[in-house]
Amino acid sequence: MRRTGFRGRIISIVNEPSVIGKSYTRKDGAEKVHGRIRYTDDLQLAGTLHAALLTSPHAHAEIVSIDTSPAASAPGVRGVATGDDFPYLLGIYLGDKPPLARGRVRQFGEPVAAVIADTPEQAEAALSLIRVEYRPLPAVLSVREALAPGAPLIHEEMDKYARIPAILPEPGSNVANRTRILKGDPEGAMAAAAVTVEQEFSFPPGDHVAMEPRAARAEIRPNGTVVIRSSTQAPFVVRALMSRFFDLPPGKIEIVAPPVGGGFGGKAGIQLEGLAYLLSRKVGGRPVRLVNSREQDIVSSPGHIGMEAKVKIGADRDGRLTAMDLLYLFDSGSSADYAVNVSRAGAIACTGPYRVDNVRAESLCVYTNHPFATAYRGFGHEVIFAIERALDRLADQLEIDPVELRIINAIRPGDTSPTRSRMDPNTGDLPGCLGQAAEMIGWEKGSREEIGPGRVRGRGISSFWKAPAMPPNADAGVILTFNEDGSINLNSGILEIGNGTYTGLAQIVAERFRDDPDRVHVNFEVRTVHSPHDWATAASRSLFMAGRAALAAADDAIARIKKIAAAPLRCPEEDLDVAGGRVFLRDDPERGLDLAEVVLGYQYPDGQSIGGQVIGRGSYISRGLTGLDPETGEGHPALEWTLGAEAVEVEVDLNDGTFEVIRAVCAMDVGRVINPRLARGNVVGAMEMALGFSTTEGFVFDDRGRPLNYLLRDFKIPRYGEHPRYGVEFLNTPQKDGPYGARGLGEQGILGIPGALANAVSRAIGRPIDSLPITPEKIWQAIRGGGQ
Amino acid sequence: MIAHNLVYHRPETIGEALGAFAGAEAEGLKPYYLAGGTEITTFSRRGLITPGALIDLKTIPECRVLTRREGSAVFGAGLTLNEVGECPFFPLLSEAAGIVDHTVRNRLTLGGNIAGMLPYRETVLPFLLTDTAARLAGPGGEREVPLADIFSRRLKLKPGEFLVQLRVPEAEAGLPWFRRRRVKQSRLDYPLLTICALAARDGIRLALSGVFDSPVRSPEVEAVLNDRSLEPARRAETAAAAFGLRARDDQRGSAQYREMLLLRGLEETIRELGGEG
């Protein structure tokens, strides 16, 4: 048996790590490859009613009237609701979103009315009987339009909205949040710069297209407890917001969170839960199931934020960056949701991972009549796309190698971030990453290579960095309980959202116990009533923070085990060690007890028992984080920064712009790698997601602001068989406060690809490509336009 | 989810299929013949069609035929695009069937791709280039007609009629061929341009999809393509104009880009099949 192997190695493993850095198979793997993992909507409950939503066909319109009476009397219908039934405003940071539109619709696809019926078919059929009269209003079709003088106001009552203090909306405009960074003397330094580049960049809003569409089932029990089973990354955020919006005691709200079929940020914050609760309330508390269709998941629920940017960079003759003047306009769409924090995170990371002593940046979250935006893997750090394109231009202007330019300016320990936060000795080795990525992509062959008539290869590079964007008091907790065979149950508030974090946590606990990770059983379902509190499974901080909590819980349990075992082993606790499923004397390992004899209390041969069961408790709260100064952005918002570099090689047909991504590589300094195969999977998945949003995704709108491509027939995401060759290497500057030296890596792989790709294509064709997605037609137009 | 109720038939003979169709019509159910079902699902979910009965043609033996007999290659309309793609009888058709990805091609059928609702119909292009006979079944019985007589922009079937088989002379199926496909970006997307061409003894035959609103083969265009009095570049340019149609302009690509792709596609076709040095 596997355990025996560990027992046999007790002596040799005592002082060295043994399960950290090994590619254990992920805990959720078998469930997933057999298609039998149970997501939210895979569990049916007898007596459940089914909801369906009628959505807006307009991007911006006044609701003149709604007639629901024919629907209310349709077969099987138990209830019909419109906005007037629910006088609430929801939102994670800024309460601006009615659960159903009231008075007006602010985007195509916004829910306007709901039907609750005995079957999904009856609910759908009744929707077609609802008559809504709209009066179309002028739609705001871009952030520039939204900021223009006299632009229609999308939220006229912004001043009345509840908000958290970190968000600074500007009532009377379409600005939902503005974050300012002011560091050094940007004006003076820009004026004195030997060389400057200035350029605009953009990408459109899009969607995560997670495999599992969002789903929620809500009921109100006779004792008043609200039970919601939901596809959420943040059950405790949902509980807190539900409590606040609906004035419910938090203990009377039970959020049940099964594994999530792809989170990517789209299931953080509050999603369908509030509306599902209100619909249940409408039908006397009966369970109501609210599940997005694929189209609703793409267009009615929030997606990827869009951005327009203006970047100006100043440098000296040697290529040293001296000043940056940055304007980031994030397209929030119809509601603020997470977008107001995405734009703030963009400000915090505004310069990319470079030392820049003089910075002015404004990062705005702007309402438009587009589908609204939320967290998306990368979380505003997509500003890196703009910085990295601008740096390539600067390199050309200075006639410096693009890799060299980045190495010269790479942020290092002792430098300060845009918020004037000092980079500590844990800071990763960015020059090392750049060198590694350049080598992996074959940089020595040059950035442009002709390989045949009209065919060229281009290579491009980009740095990236990311810190968790989270409240300064973000926390995590782990509880360990034990089974009769001495094995361990791990309970946390972390969700399985695709990253495989449970496996990493099991390895961390197993390492402390010097046992096999198979003996650490992870609970796959988070319930707010019994799982330890956790801020959210987001921001690439779960392995870090829950990992720290897991270490604390393991230490707590081990101390307790030693205390119990000390009596029957007749020795001081401090002489004991735990490894291989045993507790034993360090100096005489043969003398010891099987953990099975201790963890549920020790029983002497005559029957007397001591100790009771062992429960390991661990918690962690982020350390030393602060908010930002509203004028200068000064503050310390980052738990840690993960640094890295990515490079892309493309082959372009210059005749018609058709191109293929041949290779994409990533070198990332992740500190200690807990599970190499899972780490690589996270990075490759992120790179693939980036190639999707950089080449085939993004909404296309008609002239009235309605998205044309919200069906998967039209919204093209990458599929197996379409991908390039991937290369991933990890660098290992330890994160000394991370679990065994690890830092976050779940999102970061997405961040360098857009810039590296655009740089590769631009170098291949000799013309700048400054917007995403990059398509053959866009390349052809650039080649053609440049020739005129 | 298709939210409305419907009746599903799985006939095992052509006669049963026709009977089910007639029966459903008599009951006032709006019947549709079902092949792979991808379009019916999408269009029903969007409320654009509301079929009351689906009659599945995939279990009818005649629709599943894939054989060579009496100098012809015969393709059942119920074959999946993977089955067609893996068959060596008609290389250009195998290539044309290589749309989307393997998983989806397990579901898509030849008949559905040709007789469905979407305008691209890429697998009809090779058949339009050959002396293909279409075997049809309908209320009036079965008939076999030249495909060219019943295909204009789409398959012109009589009410209640369905496509059973397509029969191609082997001599034509083996001709040298050329295919070029261009997309907005994803290979899995609909085409901006798909050209299928054969080099026959009397010259190039060419049909295309994606550029205009429907698939097209034009004798005027082929006359220009084969006019050796013009130099190749000029031939391509004149041929493109000879279609006399306006290129599509939509979310996948501008008319201008499609026109450029067409011109280059024609040049390449001439280069590959036109016997020019």
Side-chain angles (χ1 to χ4, degrees):
Chain A
M1 311 249 297
R2 206 166 302 185
R3 223 185 113 200
T4 321
F6 271 82
R7 282 187 172 178
R9 292 172 51 213
I10 288 172
I11 311 297
S12 63
I13 66 176
V14 161
N15 284 317
E16 54 181 305
S18 58
V19 303
I20 300 296
K22 295 215 172 85
S23 292
Y24 287 93
T25 300
R26 56 191 296 163
K27 295 267 180 193
D28 49 328
E31 301 280 306
K32 283 182 175 165
V33 298
H34 287 95
R36 287 174 61 189
I37 196 159
R38 293 205 174 94
Y39 297 122
T40 293
D41 198 40
D42 289 333
L43 204 62
Q44 295 176 10
L45 184 68
T48 298
L49 301 177
H50 302 266
L53 302 178
L54 185 69
T55 61
S56 166
H58 300 285
H60 200 192
E62 187 187 323
I63 300 172
V64 178
S65 66
I66 306 183
D67 180 8
T68 59
S69 46
S73 54
V77 172
R78 302 288 175 147
V80 180
T82 65
D84 290 338
D85 292 310
F86 305 136
Y88 299 99
L89 287 170
L90 314 185
I92 179 167
Y93 298 125
L94 183 61
D96 66 358
K97 188 171 172 55
L100 294 172
R102 261 205 314 280
R104 69 161 129 170
V105 290
R106 296 181 170 89
Q107 69 157 88
F108 178 90
E110 181 172 353
V112 171
V115 173
I116 308 151
D118 289 339
T119 70
E121 295 80 9
Q122 288 169 335
E124 285 284 338
L127 283 186
S128 62
L129 303 174
I130 298 176
R131 291 283 164 261
V132 186
E133 192 189 333
Y134 295 98
R135 191 174 66 81
L137 298 169
V140 178
L141 304 178
S142 72
V143 289
R144 299 277 183 191
E145 272 187 53
L147 296 174
L153 288 186
I154 295 167
H155 288 270
E156 284 166 346
E157 305 201 319
M158 204 196 292
D159 54 329
K160 299 196 180 75
Y161 293 163
R163 65 174 173 89
I164 63 162
I167 299 306
L168 304 170
E170 299 178 357
S173 77
N174 288 316
V175 178
N177 189 23
R178 183 191 299 260
T179 309
R180 291 189 172 92
I181 297 288
L182 187 60
K183 176 184 171 187
D185 173 17
E187 266 177 51
M190 193 66 81
V195 183
T196 62
V197 291
E198 186 171 5
Q199 187 59 37
E200 296 187 5
F201 306 92
S202 69
F203 54 82
D207 193 66
H208 316 77
V209 197
M211 176 181 66
E212 178 206 22
R214 296 165 179 90
R217 188 184 66 211
E219 64 175 315
I220 306 166
R221 304 296 303 163
N223 66 7
T225 300
V226 176
V227 183
I228 302 179
R229 182 179 162 92
S230 176
S231 54
T232 176
Q233 297 175 235
F236 294 93
V237 170
V238 172
R239 183 179 71 180
L241 294 176
M242 295 278 300
S243 172
R244 188 180 338 139
F245 297 139
F246 305 119
D247 200 21
L248 298 163
K252 294 292 245 182
I253 304 168
E254 182 179 347
I255 308 297
V256 182
V260 173
F264 310 116
K267 291 162 183 162
I270 189 162
Q271 299 291 327
L272 299 177
E273 299 89 354
L275 181 55
Y277 159 71
L278 293 169
L279 294 176
S280 172
R281 209 172 73 180
K282 182 96 187 163
V283 292
R286 288 187 61 178
V288 171
R289 170 181 168 268
L290 179 59
V291 180
N292 274 347
S293 67
R294 173 57 65 191
E295 292 78 11
Q296 283 170 348
D297 209 57
I298 289 178
V299 82
S300 299
S301 284
H304 184 209
I305 207 163
M307 185 189 77
E308 292 185 28
K310 191 171 175 182
V311 166
K312 187 173 183 187
I313 299 182
D316 67 19
R317 282 272 161 233
D318 301 328
R320 216 164 284 279
L321 302 179
T322 54
M324 284 195 187
D325 189 355
L326 310 166
L327 177 65
Y328 296 129
L329 305 176
F330 284 95
D331 183 350
S332 178
S334 65
S335 288
D337 199 273
Y338 249 111
V340 284
N341 196 23
V342 171
S343 63
R344 184 175 181 268
I348 291 167
C350 64
T351 56
Y354 302 106
R355 177 186 171 156
V356 191
D357 291 335
N358 304 290
V359 182
R360 184 175 68 185
E362 296 233 338
S363 184
L364 277 68
C365 181
V366 182
Y367 286 125
T368 66
N369 291 117
H370 286 156
F372 72 119
T374 187
Y376 177 101
R377 199 179 206 168
F379 204 81
H381 296 66
E382 297 97 313
V383 299
I384 289 164
F385 164 65
I387 294 290
E388 294 293 329
R389 279 296 298 131
L391 283 183
D392 253 37
R393 296 197 163 189
L394 184 66
D396 288 349
Q397 207 158 317
L398 288 162
E399 294 176 349
I400 294 179
D401 178 85
V403 174
E404 187 57 32
L405 177 71
R406 288 167 171 85
I407 290 175
I408 292 171
N409 292 289
I411 200 157
R412 291 170 166 85
D415 295 340
T416 61
S417 78
T419 68
R420 289 185 255 178
S421 187
R422 195 157 296 281
M423 303 301 287
D424 65 22
N426 297 317
T427 302
D429 176 11
L430 182 55
C433 291
L434 282 160
Q436 179 79 44
E439 189 184 320
M440 290 161 79
I441 206 69
W443 192 256
E444 76 282 354
K445 283 181 265 182
S447 60
R448 186 177 195 276
E449 201 182 350
E450 299 206 7
I451 58 163
R455 296 195 76 81
V456 288
R457 291 227 171 153
R459 295 182 186 87
I461 194 151
S462 166
S463 308
F464 61 84
W465 69 342
K466 186 178 183 301
M470 60 186 197
N473 66 342
D475 73 333
V478 165
I479 299 169
L480 301 177
T481 60
F482 292 83
N483 303 307
E484 291 82 347
D485 61 352
S487 67
I488 305 167
N489 305 311
L490 190 158
N491 269 280
S492 74
I494 298 293
L495 268 303
E496 166 48 39
I497 64 168
N499 300 71
T501 307
Y502 287 159
T503 311
L505 292 177
Q507 284 178 247
I508 285 170
V509 169
E511 179 68 18
R512 236 11 172 218
F513 275 84
R514 295 176 203 152
D515 205 344
D516 190 328
D518 279 354
R519 297 239 303 156
V520 182
H521 308 286
V522 183
N523 178 14
F524 270 42
E525 187 171 87
V526 174
R527 280 180 181 252
T528 53
V529 286
H530 65 55
S531 300
H533 187 271
D534 186 287
W535 165 62
T537 304
S540 302
R541 43 58 76 181
S542 298
L543 190 66
F544 185 121
M545 293 185 65
R548 282 292 303 266
L551 283 178
D555 288 343
D556 184 45
I558 287 168
R560 183 71 194 151
I561 287 166
K562 288 178 179 173
K563 192 176 176 72
I564 297 169
L569 291 174
R570 295 185 175 81
C571 69
E573 292 158 36
E574 54 270 28
D575 286 5
L576 293 174
D577 229 332
V578 171
R582 290 176 79 242
V583 52
F584 53 88
L585 270 73
R586 192 175 297 111
D587 54 308
D588 184 5
E590 296 304 314
R591 272 183 63 200
L593 295 167
D594 199 297
L595 286 187
E597 298 174 83
V598 180
V599 291
L600 295 178
Y602 178 78
Q603 188 174 34
Y604 285 94
D606 68 355
Q608 296 187 69
S609 302
I610 58 164
Q613 67 174 301
V614 175
I615 299 175
R617 303 154 302 161
S619 63
Y620 184 77
I621 191 158
S622 46
R623 190 182 72 189
L625 302 189
T626 72
L628 304 181
D629 181 279
E631 294 306 318
T632 66
E634 186 171 1
H636 186 59
L639 181 71
E640 44 95 357
W641 288 97
T642 302
L643 302 170
E646 291 180 314
V648 169
E649 180 179 2
V650 294
E651 187 171 316
V652 186
D653 182 335
L654 296 178
N655 296 302
D656 62 15
T658 301
F659 71 101
E660 191 181 352
V661 180
I662 306 291
R663 201 203 316 243
V665 301
C666 176
M668 196 190 303
D669 195 337
V670 299
R672 185 72 163 278
V673 182
I674 303 289
N675 184 316
R677 205 164 56 202
L678 277 175
R680 183 189 151 89
N682 273 281
V683 174
V684 165
M687 292 163 82
E688 180 93 359
M689 198 164 170
L691 287 174
F693 104 77
S694 301
T695 63
T696 64
E697 299 174 23
F699 288 129
V700 180
F701 296 99
D702 71 7
D703 57 7
R704 285 189 281 172
R706 296 173 300 193
L708 294 169
N709 56 341
Y710 61 95
L711 297 182
L712 283 187
R713 282 186 181 274
D714 305 313
F715 195 98
K716 290 296 174 192
I717 57 172
R719 311 231 190 155
Y720 283 107
E722 289 194 297
H723 44 78
R725 277 178 289 152
Y726 288 113
V728 179
E729 293 290 342
F730 294 119
L731 281 77
N732 304 109
T733 309
Q735 182 72 31
K736 294 199 180 84
D737 55 341
Y740 295 107
R743 70 173 70 86
L745 58 78
E747 297 168 84
Q748 283 77 359
I750 205 168
L751 291 169
I753 293 294
L757 175 73
N759 286 339
V761 172
S762 300
R763 290 191 175 279
I765 67 173
R767 310 273 175 218
I769 297 286
D770 292 331
S771 68
L772 304 174
I774 301 172
T775 62
E777 179 167 0
K778 187 176 284 182
I779 293 171
W780 177 72
Q781 296 283 12
I783 293 171
R784 224 169 54 112
Q788 284 170 354
Chain B
M1 181 183 69
I2 298 177
H4 66 274
N5 288 327
L6 48 80
V7 180
Y8 172 73
H9 292 277
R10 195 158 71 180
E12 293 186 2
T13 66
I14 289 174
E16 281 176 27
L18 294 169
F21 193 95
E25 259 193 337
E27 285 179 59
L29 301 171
K30 204 185 284 176
Y32 278 70
Y33 288 119
L34 174 71
T38 56
E39 293 182 26
I40 285 180
T41 306
T42 300
F43 284 69
S44 296
R45 290 181 67 237
R46 299 186 65 195
L48 300 175
I49 60 170
T50 45
L54 295 178
I55 295 131
D56 194 339
L57 303 178
K58 295 193 295 293
T59 41
I60 298 173
E62 286 87 340
C63 294
R64 299 278 308 145
V65 163
L66 179 56
T67 189
R68 281 168 161 157
R69 64 172 173 241
E70 294 159 14
S72 290
V74 183
F75 298 90
L79 296 171
T80 69
L81 292 196
N82 276 333
E83 289 168 327
V84 172
E86 286 157 12
C87 163
F89 297 168
F90 190 177
L92 176 57
L93 176 64
S94 306
E95 191 75 11
I99 54 175
V100 284
D101 67 4
H102 192 89
T103 309
V104 181
R105 287 197 299 271
N106 277 335
R107 174 85 0 219
L108 302 185
T109 65
L110 188 59
N113 185 251
I114 292 174
M117 291 168 274
L118 290 171
Y120 305 100
R121 308 176 203 282
E122 290 174 77
T123 57
V124 85
L125 302 178
F127 292 111
L128 291 178
L129 301 179
T130 54
D131 193 13
T132 294
R135 180 176 164 191
L136 310 170
E142 293 187 41
R143 58 179 179 137
E144 192 175 76
V145 293
L147 177 67
D149 291 357
I150 57 160
F151 192 92
S152 170
R153 300 168 59 89
R154 59 183 180 81
L155 206 56
K156 308 278 185 179
L157 297 171
K158 293 179 181 166
E161 204 171 38
F162 65 87
L163 179 66
V164 180
Q165 289 169 0
L166 293 163
R167 191 168 53 82
V168 186
E170 282 189 72
E172 289 183 310
L175 289 172
W177 57 274
F178 176 73
R179 174 175 177 261
R180 182 185 183 85
R181 190 170 194 269
R182 283 290 181 257
V183 288
K184 178 179 176 183
Q185 170 62 11
S186 167
R187 275 196 284 118
L188 283 77
D189 209 342
Y190 303 125
L192 296 175
L193 165 78
T194 295
I195 282 182
C196 285
L198 290 174
R201 196 167 304 164
D202 53 352
I204 295 171
R205 304 174 188 173
L206 176 142
L208 53 79
S209 172
V211 178
F212 308 116
D213 283 334
S214 50
V216 56
R217 181 187 174 191
S218 154
E220 292 79 13
V221 170
E222 286 178 9
V224 179
L225 285 178
N226 293 307
D227 180 356
R228 291 183 176 245
S229 70
L230 296 172
E231 55 169 315
R234 182 87 185 112
R235 239 187 280 172
E237 212 173 296
T238 315
F243 279 105
L245 295 167
R246 192 193 297 262
R248 283 173 78 102
D249 196 332
D250 59 21
Q251 59 162 304
R252 290 186 166 74
S254 67
Q256 200 184 25
Y257 189 58
R258 281 187 168 90
E259 282 161 6
M260 182 279 293
L261 291 176
L262 172 61
L263 192 62
R264 281 186 42 75
L266 293 174
E267 282 170 4
E268 259 183 315
T269 308
I270 295 167
R271 191 158 64 234
E272 294 294 322
L273 298 181
E276 310 291 332

